[in-house]
């Protein structure tokens, strides 16, 4: 029977059936409950022993593989001591979990354990028995760790609570000791603030209420058992204001200033010293309060100025950290006065190395009167003046000074005073008078060079000496020496002042050395000497150099002046010839001037024909040299040519012409056309604005029936050129053509001797009214036409009578 509802009660009955029908039922007397059969569960599996100690162990297991068809209600744990035969139950009540701590073991004894499972049907067989386990504590060295927030230390402000937490392990469980700076913390010594460490197993917490600065230091927790010792430390900083600075002293005491020095506080309050505040007080007056000298000092030293000489002062200094300012350190009383006096006066100075604008002043060091001399002041006075002037702007720390900027010819005296920390002393006696003037020595040698030679002389030039000896050069002497002869002969009878000289009385072809000496009021200086020079006419091929202003070409307007300057050199002096390519020079108008090495060609009132390339040629025995430049002469263009009038109409005509033969050296910019009535002499205004670019133009707005003449002028950058020849007269009228043929004549009437004819006028009259008609006749059989009109008479209308037939 399937598909029953679990836990429901059922009755069953059965009857037999044959072909005739069914018999009586047979029924159960009692109902049947639809439920699975129940039996005790299988034994638990994988029983294990953990964490044995001297008094307990912890057991773990897994549930049975089959629960017997009923839910496991719990487990029974049993133990067997070694040497005993009877198993003892460990738990009074069923254990619903899969773990159980077995307690109450005897230290040192060995035990075995087993577990049974129980369900509604009963208790299972026992699990597999564990090996013997000895009841002893495990061996574990102690360990201690501070809380994570303490790993890098702890910082609190004064008055805050210090809380230190540590985590501990070890077997047996270690003893715990807290230390501060390696000294044991005893809560009973300061019960009001230190709370004894909490005794919860596995952790220890030390708490200090109302912390003070003295509580800072290294806190250490030490844990210890039979197997070792472990420690963990934490730096605890209690922030407070710093202590007072120490060792306040004075240095470099002066009448108006003093240097205050001190050392940092012994205790910085647990925070870096950020600043010092220095104050002073007038100690001669009790009612005077403290005055701040500086509130922003970073260092332990300060130079106090603006003290009043003779007054007694007190100073105090505070240290500040980020918590605040600590107590002050107060100095001893100090009176503002110098411990020394200014130096004595130096001896009378000596004056040396006199020049026209400077002198060297020297002196000896005087007595310093207790303070080292830091420098000297020097004063000068012109002998005729009553005013002493300071020489140096800054103290001189040497025993001499070069005084510059003196006026030449004036006489000066000098005096010196020394200065130390107490100030400047008295001045020395004045020096002996000295006049500002250079010492004069003979001048140095001039710097000569051979400028030129000829067959009879040597041209000598020189530069003045670099050193004039301190006096003006008054002149020069020139000497010559024939090479091979020892003696020098002077060429100048008296000193010359120019820087050149022509040495004569020399032999052609001979070699000479030359000397030049300079003179001043101190005498003649050493000579400057040349290399040997040969007396001969030098040969140099000609050179021609056009002036830079004309090298690139010359452009002038007609009527202006053409100038071409050039420089010609060569030995012997070259002959100079000017030519012009593409033509010949107009000798009547061209002027050529040759002066020295200069040659210049000039043409006044330049004409258009003067354009071309001008060439200068220099020739001597060593060769020939030329140079040239292009000259452009701009003029107005010549007249246009071949002016013709065509396509004449009543109001317009068409003009054509040829360009001028000469454009004046400049491109034609445009043409100007003028017209006039042929019956009048005066031309009218131009018929066009000056903008005709080509060589043709259509003239408009003519007056019909007027006979016109035209002329054309060309214009370039130089201006408007002369006009062309006037055109032939042209009548402003439309052109007249031969009229077209009339229609074929028709016979309107006839007699025996005459015929009346009529016709229609031609379709085109040729541009002029029809004056009349000509009628012709031809006899039959003849090829000749005869005129009907009498003489030159015309038939005025489109009809006529032909008589005499």
């Amino acid at each position: 029977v399937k598909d029953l509802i679990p836990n429901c009660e059922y009755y069953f009955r059965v009857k037999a059936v044959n072909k005739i029908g069914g018999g009586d039922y047979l029924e159960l007397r009692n109902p049947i409950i639809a439920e699975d059969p129940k039996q005790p569960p299988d034994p638990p599996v994988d029983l294990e022993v953990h964490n044995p100690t001297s008094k307990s162990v912890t057991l773990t297991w897994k549930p049975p593989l089959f629960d017997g068809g009923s839910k496991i209600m719990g487990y029974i744990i049993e133990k067997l001591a070694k040497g005993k035969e009877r198993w003892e139950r460990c738990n009074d009540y069923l254990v619903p979990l899969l773990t159980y701590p077995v307690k109450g073991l005897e230290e040192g004894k060995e035990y075995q354990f087993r577990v049974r499972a129980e369900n509604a049907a009963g208790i299972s067989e026992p699990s597999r028995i564990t090996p013997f386990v000895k009841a002893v504590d495990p061996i574990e060295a102690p360990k201690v760790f501070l809380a994570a927030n303490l790993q890098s230390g702890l910082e609190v402000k004064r008055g805050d609570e210090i809380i230190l937490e540590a985590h501990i392990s070890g077997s047996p469980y270690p003893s715990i000791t807290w230390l501060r700076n390696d000294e044991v913390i005893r809560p009973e010594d300061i019960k009001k603030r230190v709370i004894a460490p909490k005794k919860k197993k596995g952790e220890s917490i030390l708490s200090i209420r109302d912390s003070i600065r003295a509580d800072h230091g290294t806190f250490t927790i030490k844990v210890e058992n039979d197997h070792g010792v472990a420690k963990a430390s934490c730096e605890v900083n209690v922030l407070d204001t710093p202590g007072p600075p120490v060792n306040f002293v004075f240095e470099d005491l002066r009448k108006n200033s003093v240097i205050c020095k001190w050392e940092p506080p012994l205790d910085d309050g647990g925070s870096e010293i950020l600043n010092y505040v220095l104050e002073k007080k007038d100690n001669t007056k009790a009612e005077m309060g403290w005055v701040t000298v500086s509130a922003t000092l970073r260092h332990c030293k300060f130079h106090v100025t603006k003290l009043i000489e003779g007054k007694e002062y007190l100073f105090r200094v505070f240290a500040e950290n980020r918590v605040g300012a600590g107590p002050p350190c107060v100095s001893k009383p100090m009176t503002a006065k110098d411990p020394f006096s200014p130096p004595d006066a130096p001896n009378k100075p000596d004056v040396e190395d006199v020049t026209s604008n400077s002198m060297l002043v020297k002196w000896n060091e005087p007595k310093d009167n207790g303070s080292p001399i830091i420098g000297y002041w020097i004063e000068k006075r012109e002998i005729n003046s009553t005013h002493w002037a300071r020489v140096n702007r800054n103290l001189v720390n040497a025993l001499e000074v070069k005084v510059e900027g003196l006026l030449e010819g004036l006489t000066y005296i000098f005096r010196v005073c020394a200065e130390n920390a107490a100030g400047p002393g008295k001045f020395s006696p004045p020096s002996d008078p000295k006049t500002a003037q250079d010492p004069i020595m003979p001048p140095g040698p001039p710097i000569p060079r051979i400028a030129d030679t000829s067959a009879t002389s040597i041209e000598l030039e020189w530069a003045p000496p670099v050193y004039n000896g301190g006096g003006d050069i008054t002149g020069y002497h020139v000497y010559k020496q024939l090479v091979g002869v020892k003696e020098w002969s002077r060429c100048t009878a008296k000193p010359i002042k120019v820087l050149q000289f022509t040495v004569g009385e020399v032999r052609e072809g001979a070699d000479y050395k030359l000397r030049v000496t300079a003179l001043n009021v101190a005498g003649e200086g050493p000579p400057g000497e040349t290399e040997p020079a040969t007396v001969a006419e030098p040969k140099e091929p000609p050179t021609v150099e056009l002036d830079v202003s004309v090298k690139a070409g010359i452009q002038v307007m007609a009527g202006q002046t053409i100038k071409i300057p050039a420089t010609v050199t060569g030995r012997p002096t070259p002959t100079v010839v000017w030519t012009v390519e593409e033509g010949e020079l107009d000798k009547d108008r061209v002027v050529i001037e040759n002066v020295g090495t200069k040659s210049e060609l000039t043409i006044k009132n330049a004409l258009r024909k003067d354009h071309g390339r001008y060439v200068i040629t220099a020739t001597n025995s060593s060769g020939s040299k030329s140079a040239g430049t292009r000259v452009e002469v701009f003029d107005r263009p010549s007249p246009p040519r071949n002016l013709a009038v065509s396509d004449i109409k009543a109001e317009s005509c068409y003009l054509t012409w040829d360009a001028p033969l000469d454009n004046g050296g400049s491109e034609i910019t445009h043409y100007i056309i003028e017209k006039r009535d042929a019956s009048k002499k005066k031309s009218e205004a131009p018929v066009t604005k000056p903008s005709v670019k080509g060589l043709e133009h259509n003239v408009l707005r003519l007056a019909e029936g007027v006979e016109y003449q035209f002329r054309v002028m060309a214009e370039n950058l130089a201006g408007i050129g002369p006009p062309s020849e006037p055109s032939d007269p042209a009548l402003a009228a439309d052109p007249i053509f031969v009229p077209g043929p009339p229609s074929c004549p028709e016979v309107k009437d006839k007699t025996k001797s005459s015929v009346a004819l009529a016709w229609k006028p031609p379709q085109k009259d040729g541009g002029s009214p029809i004056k009349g008609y000509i009628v012709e006749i031809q006899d039959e059989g003849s090829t000749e036409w005869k005129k009907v009109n009498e003489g030159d008479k015309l038939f005025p209308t489109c009809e006529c009578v032909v008589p005499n037939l």
Side-chain angles (χ1 to χ4, degrees):
V1 179
K2 299 180 180 180
D3 299 326
L4 301 182
I5 298 173
N7 298 319
C8 284
E9 292 185 353
Y10 289 94
Y11 284 96
F12 294 94
R13 67 183 181 179
V14 63
K15 69 178 178 178
V17 180
N18 60 14
K19 292 182 179 179
I20 296 175
D24 296 330
Y25 281 100
L26 174 66
E27 293 187 12
L28 287 175
R29 292 183 178 181
N30 298 313
I32 300 297
I33 297 175
E35 61 180 356
D36 291 333
K38 296 178 181 178
Q39 64 183 50
D42 289 351
V45 297
D46 297 340
L47 176 63
E48 294 181 354
V49 181
H50 303 279
N51 302 327
T53 70
S54 60
K55 296 179 181 180
S56 66
V57 296
T58 299
L59 301 179
T60 62
W61 59 89
K62 293 181 180 178
L65 297 176
F66 176 60
D67 62 4
S70 178
K71 181 180 177 182
I72 301 295
M73 296 185 294
Y75 298 90
I76 299 169
I77 295 92
E78 297 175 330
K79 67 182 177 181
L80 176 66
K82 191 172 186 179
K84 298 287 182 76
E85 295 181 358
R86 185 168 170 265
W87 287 87
E88 297 180 14
R89 181 165 172 161
C90 300
N91 54 321
D92 294 332
Y93 305 99
L94 289 176
V95 175
L97 305 176
L98 297 175
T99 180
Y100 182 73
V102 180
K103 298 180 180 180
L105 303 180
E106 294 184 30
E107 186 174 2
K109 280 192 175 184
E110 295 185 26
Y111 294 89
Q112 286 181 300
F113 300 91
R114 68 185 184 183
V115 181
R116 296 174 187 265
E118 184 176 343
N119 65 7
I123 300 172
S124 71
E125 291 295 319
S127 67
R128 294 181 64 181
I129 301 170
T130 67
F132 281 104
V133 178
K134 193 172 185 178
V136 293
D137 286 329
I139 298 172
E140 181 184 355
K143 295 180 181 178
V144 61
F145 301 96
L146 291 172
N149 64 320
L150 303 175
Q151 296 297 321
S152 59
L154 177 64
E155 185 175 88
V156 298
K157 288 187 177 180
R158 181 185 64 186
D160 293 348
E161 186 177 5
I162 300 172
I163 299 177
L164 304 176
E165 181 181 351
H167 301 280
I168 303 153
S169 64
S171 183
Y173 193 73
S175 62
I176 301 169
T177 306
W178 283 90
L179 303 97
R180 175 182 168 277
N181 296 336
D182 296 330
E183 292 185 3
V184 176
I185 298 174
R186 301 184 187 278
E188 58 272 13
D189 295 342
I190 43 176
K191 289 181 179 178
K192 292 182 179 179
R193 297 196 303 112
V194 178
I195 300 175
K198 295 181 181 179
K199 295 299 185 180
K200 183 179 177 180
K201 192 171 183 179
E203 67 178 27
S204 179
I205 300 175
L206 177 69
S207 176
I208 302 177
R209 295 193 301 265
D210 301 325
S211 61
I212 59 175
R213 173 64 184 151
D215 292 331
H216 79 280
T218 303
F219 284 76
T220 304
I221 180 172
K222 181 173 75 171
V223 295
E224 184 175 5
N225 65 10
D226 296 338
H227 306 295
V229 178
K231 294 181 180 180
S233 296
C234 173
E235 292 292 334
V236 176
N237 187 18
V238 180
L239 295 176
D240 198 357
T241 56
V246 296
N247 299 333
F248 196 110
V249 296
F250 297 111
E251 289 184 354
D252 199 17
L253 176 61
R254 304 292 175 84
K255 63 183 179 182
N256 301 118
S257 66
V258 68
I259 294 176
C260 297
K261 286 185 68 175
W262 58 91
E263 294 179 7
L266 299 178
D267 180 10
D268 63 3
S271 175
E272 178 189 5
I273 300 296
L274 301 176
N275 183 52
Y276 292 97
V277 178
L278 180 64
E279 296 179 342
K280 71 179 178 180
K281 182 178 184 298
D282 185 349
N283 203 33
T284 60
K285 297 179 182 180
E287 69 275 9
M288 297 295 288
W290 290 95
V291 178
T292 300
V293 176
S294 177
T296 58
L297 300 178
R298 294 300 300 256
H299 303 290
C300 297
K301 183 178 181 179
F302 187 71
H303 188 198
V304 182
T305 59
K306 298 182 180 179
L307 300 181
I308 300 174
E309 185 175 6
K311 275 201 174 186
E312 186 177 78
Y313 291 91
L314 278 179
F315 291 88
R316 69 181 182 182
V317 63
F318 304 84
E320 288 184 347
N321 62 10
R322 56 190 171 100
V323 177
C329 173
V330 183
S331 73
K332 294 179 181 180
M334 181 276 297
T335 302
K337 63 179 182 178
D338 285 332
F340 40 76
S341 59
D344 290 348
N347 295 331
K348 183 174 74 171
D350 293 327
V351 180
E352 302 175 357
D353 298 340
V354 178
T355 71
S356 62
N357 60 4
S358 67
M359 297 181 190
L360 182 66
V361 181
K362 294 184 176 182
W363 58 90
N364 294 323
E365 183 177 6
K367 185 179 178 182
D368 61 14
N369 292 330
S371 175
I373 292 174
I374 58 176
Y376 297 89
W377 296 107
I378 300 93
E379 291 185 346
K380 67 182 178 181
R381 180 166 70 86
E382 204 278 319
I383 196 68
N384 295 320
S385 172
T386 59
H387 173 69
W388 287 95
R390 178 72 59 86
V391 168
N392 51 320
R393 292 185 177 179
N394 301 310
L395 281 169
V396 173
N397 56 9
L399 293 175
E400 62 179 41
V401 66
K402 186 176 183 181
V403 182
E404 298 182 329
L406 303 180
L407 298 177
E408 186 172 5
L410 297 185
T411 302
Y412 294 90
I413 57 175
F414 300 90
R415 66 181 184 180
V416 183
C417 76
E419 182 174 336
N420 63 7
K426 294 182 179 180
F427 275 98
S428 68
S431 66
D432 294 331
K434 294 285 184 179
T435 301
Q437 59 185 13
D438 289 330
I440 300 177
M441 304 290 291
I447 306 169
R449 71 177 188 89
I450 303 295
D452 200 1
T453 63
S454 69
T456 58
S457 65
I458 302 173
E459 292 290 336
L460 182 65
E461 295 178 352
W462 59 89
V466 176
Y467 172 62
N468 66 1
D472 293 335
I473 301 295
T474 57
Y476 298 92
H477 277 306
V478 179
Y479 298 83
K480 66 181 178 181
Q481 179 194 52
L482 181 63
V483 174
V485 177
K486 293 182 179 181
E487 291 78 14
W488 288 85
S489 60
R490 196 167 77 183
C491 306
T492 49
K494 58 182 180 179
I496 60 174
K497 294 187 176 182
V498 295
L499 299 177
Q500 60 183 18
F501 186 75
T502 301
V503 179
E505 299 181 4
V506 291
R507 295 203 309 266
E508 186 176 4
D511 293 334
Y512 286 87
K513 287 183 181 180
L514 301 180
R515 279 182 177 176
V516 183
T517 59
L519 296 87
N520 63 12
V521 295
E524 185 176 7
E529 189 172 315
T530 69
E531 294 295 323
T534 303
V535 179
E537 189 74 38
K539 292 186 178 181
E540 298 176 5
T543 62
V544 178
E545 186 75 20
L546 290 174
D547 189 81
V548 68
S549 63
V550 300
K551 275 188 176 182
I554 302 172
Q555 294 180 342
V556 297
M557 301 297 292
Q560 294 181 337
T561 300
I562 300 172
K563 282 192 176 184
I564 310 176
T567 302
V568 179
T569 61
R571 302 289 291 272
T573 303
T575 58
V576 176
V577 176
W578 288 87
T579 58
V580 59
E581 295 179 359
E582 312 150 1
E584 294 183 1
L585 294 178
D586 187 346
K587 294 181 179 180
D588 295 334
R589 298 173 52 250
V590 174
V591 177
I592 297 173
E593 290 186 0
N594 296 313
V595 179
T597 61
K598 304 297 180 182
S599 180
E600 184 175 76
L601 179 144
T602 304
I603 304 175
K604 293 183 178 180
N605 297 319
L607 302 176
R608 175 78 180 112
K609 67 178 183 177
D610 293 328
H611 75 278
R613 178 176 171 80
Y614 286 75
V615 178
I616 179 174
T617 303
T619 307
N620 67 7
S621 57
S622 298
S624 181
K625 186 71 173 180
S626 297
T629 187
R630 185 81 189 174
V631 175
E632 293 291 346
V633 180
F634 298 118
D635 199 356
R636 297 178 302 165
S638 62
R641 300 171 294 122
N642 302 326
L643 176 62
V645 183
S646 61
D647 196 14
I648 302 171
K649 297 180 180 178
E651 294 181 354
S652 66
C653 66
Y654 197 75
L655 303 181
T656 59
W657 61 89
D658 292 337
L661 291 175
D662 183 6
N663 65 2
S666 174
E667 182 180 354
I668 301 296
T669 57
H670 52 264
Y671 293 91
I672 297 171
I673 303 169
E674 291 182 338
K675 67 181 179 180
R676 75 180 178 95
D677 187 335
S679 62
K680 301 178 182 178
K681 294 184 178 180
K682 189 174 180 180
S683 296
E684 298 179 16
V687 299
T688 65
K689 293 182 179 179
S691 59
V692 177
K693 300 290 186 181
L695 298 175
E696 57 189 4
H697 184 66
N698 189 26
V699 181
L700 303 175
R701 293 189 291 277
L702 299 180
E704 186 176 2
V706 177
E707 192 172 40
Y708 289 97
Q709 279 188 299
F710 298 92
R711 67 181 185 182
V712 182
M713 294 169 285
E715 185 172 355
N716 63 7
L717 294 178
I720 302 173
S724 65
E725 289 292 329
S727 67
D728 292 334
L731 180 64
D734 289 333
I736 299 175
F737 301 99
V738 175
S743 65
C744 182
E746 297 179 3
V747 178
K748 295 294 183 179
D749 195 9
K750 61 182 177 179
T751 66
K752 60 181 179 181
S753 60
S754 65
V755 175
L757 301 177
W759 60 89
K760 293 181 179 179
Q763 292 183 353
K764 294 182 179 180
D765 63 4
S768 180
I770 301 297
K771 295 180 179 180
Y773 298 91
I774 298 172
V775 179
E776 291 180 340
I777 186 172
Q778 183 186 60
D779 293 335
E780 186 177 1
S782 175
T783 59
E784 182 183 356
W785 287 90
K786 295 180 182 178
K787 189 173 168 183
V788 175
N789 303 60
E790 295 180 3
D792 294 330
K793 291 183 179 181
L794 298 175
F795 294 112
T797 64
C798 293
E799 61 183 8
C800 73
V801 176
V802 181
N804 303 319
L805 298 179

